[in-house]
Amino acid sequence: GLVAFAGARLERGVDIVARAAGLTERLAGADLCITGEGMLDSQSLSGKTAVGVARLASAAGVPVVCIAGQVHAGLDHRGLFADVRPLVVGDISAAQAMAHAPELISAVTAEAVADFLRSRAD
């Protein structure tokens, strides 16, 4: 209705957030970009924020790590992310991941960054 009657325009949410956060400027000179997604699945590839961030970072030549609650089996995320780290893995269920999200996100992110730094040192 706002488009038809008030002159509003449609924009992708990631574009609005990236502009507000100054993401393009923040990516300049960055070594790594970390983004997240609750469920990385085929819908993510259709325009969710994590994929939008990955595309902006890729254009800036910055590798991207995605910390995801869950990753849909068989999802081809090559070319978007240098690394994808799910919280729901092994014996950790979705319910456990949600109950302990802050700790898991912190631990998984620390592991991803350590692996990234090791890979650069090699």
Side-chain angles (χ1 to χ4, degrees), residues 6 13 16-18 24 41 49 63 68 72 78 83 91 97 100 102 110 115-116:
I16 295 167
V17 172
T24 302
D41 57 16
T49 299
H72 187 267
R78 292 174 300 197
D83 193 5
D91 294 337
H100 301 284
D115 288 347
F116 172 77

Side-chain angles (χ1 to χ4, degrees), residues 27 29-34 57 62-65 82 109 112-113 116-117 120:
L27 288 168
D31 294 317
L32 180 66
C33 177
I34 301 172
V62 178
V64 181
V65 171
T109 302
V113 170
F116 172 77
L117 292 173
R120 290 183 55 124

Side-chain angles (χ1 to χ4, degrees), residues 29-90:
D31 294 317
L32 180 66
C33 177
I34 301 172
T35 189
E37 184 74 63
M39 169 64 87
L40 192 62
D41 57 16
S42 60
Q43 286 184 5
S44 302
L45 303 179
S46 299
K48 284 188 178 177
T49 299
V51 171
V53 168
R55 289 183 174 138
L56 286 170
S58 179
V62 178
V64 181
V65 171
C66 181
I67 309 299
Q70 297 181 65
V71 178
H72 187 267
L75 179 71
D76 185 8
H77 52 72
R78 292 174 300 197
L80 286 171
F81 304 105
D83 193 5
V84 173
R85 303 282 177 121
L87 302 184
V88 175
V89 65

